[in-house]
Amino acid sequence: MKEISISDNFFNIWPYVSELKAAKILSKKIKESELVHKVYRNSTEDFEHILLATEKENQFVKLVVDKNKKKVLGYLFLSL
């Protein structure tokens, strides 16, 4: 996995993020401008792993995106 800049073009996650906020998986308090912590892309550029900040330090929600199918495959909680 290679880290890419947040300013680079990565998959549009915002509709999915809205669903996570509605389900109270992500806090509505977190500003969208501060939500994306890191973005990683695999070497074939088929998948992206997007780390989203949470209110707790060193805890993230990781989205796994299939760029070919143009959809989020799911999420998991990541504690570093």
Side-chain angles (χ1 to χ4, degrees):
M1 300 298 281
K2 175 183 166 186
E3 183 177 350
I4 64 170
S5 171
I6 294 172
S7 63
D8 283 354
N9 188 21
F10 61 92
F11 186 79
N12 179 15
I13 59 169
W14 304 115
Y16 193 78
V17 167
S18 295
E19 291 177 23
L20 293 178
K21 285 183 175 182
K24 298 184 180 178
I25 294 166
L26 286 173
S27 173
K28 293 181 182 182
K29 295 178 184 176
I30 298 173
K31 297 177 185 173
E32 288 193 356
S33 62
E34 299 172 1
L35 184 63
V36 177
H37 179 71
K38 299 272 185 183
V39 179
Y40 297 95
R41 188 175 289 153
N42 71 336
S43 61
T44 59
E45 299 192 0
D46 295 326
F47 296 95
E48 291 179 342
H49 292 216
I50 303 169
L51 298 183
L52 305 177
T54 65
E55 291 179 314
K56 297 179 182 176
E57 187 175 344
N58 294 325
Q59 293 190 9
F60 304 91
V61 172
K62 179 169 100 171
L63 302 182
V64 179
V65 174
D66 184 330
K67 290 181 62 181
N68 294 327
K69 294 182 181 178
K70 298 181 181 175
K71 71 178 198 174
V72 177
L73 298 176
Y75 71 91
L76 59 98
F77 294 102
L78 181 64
S79 182
L80 300 178

